[in-house]
Amino acid sequence: MKKIGLVDYFIDEWHSNNYLIWIDEICKQYGYDFEVAYAWAQMPTYEGKLSTKDWCEKNGVTECKTMEELCEKSD
């Protein structure tokens, strides 16, 4: 299984929320072996949004503490 990492300014936003779903749907439809496994955000908390920790827990994704950690773990 290939592990994908999401990086953003804050993680609870349109791209991360939708890419997570689309990647899962495409993988199921075509039998690809990928998953969104890691996430890192420059702003771990942002007013009115889930924190990176909470977003990761909600979506079954591992929060990385640094972008370097995410890059090392992702494929």
Side-chain angles (χ1 to χ4, degrees):
M1 166 123 1
K2 299 289 184 182
K3 307 283 185 175
I4 298 170
L6 298 177
V7 174
D8 216 320
Y9 185 66
F10 58 92
I11 206 70
D12 183 22
E13 55 84 39
W14 190 91
H15 293 97
S16 296
N17 291 329
N18 286 290
Y19 288 176
L20 184 77
I21 294 165
W22 295 340
I23 290 167
D24 184 57
E25 288 175 352
I26 293 295
C27 288
K28 286 178 181 172
Q29 182 177 356
Y30 294 103
Y32 298 147
D33 200 19
F34 291 85
E35 73 170 340
V36 175
Y38 307 107
W40 175 83
Q42 184 175 355
M43 298 294 295
T45 59
Y46 198 82
E47 186 177 328
K49 303 289 184 178
L50 290 174
S51 68
T52 302
K53 178 183 180 287
D54 290 341
W55 186 93
C56 287
E57 287 176 3
K58 174 185 171 190
N59 291 292
V61 174
T62 299
E63 178 186 9
C64 293
K65 299 300 180 191
T66 65
M67 189 184 312
E68 291 78 13
E69 176 188 359
L70 180 136
C71 291
E72 288 174 12
K73 291 181 174 181
S74 300
D75 291 306

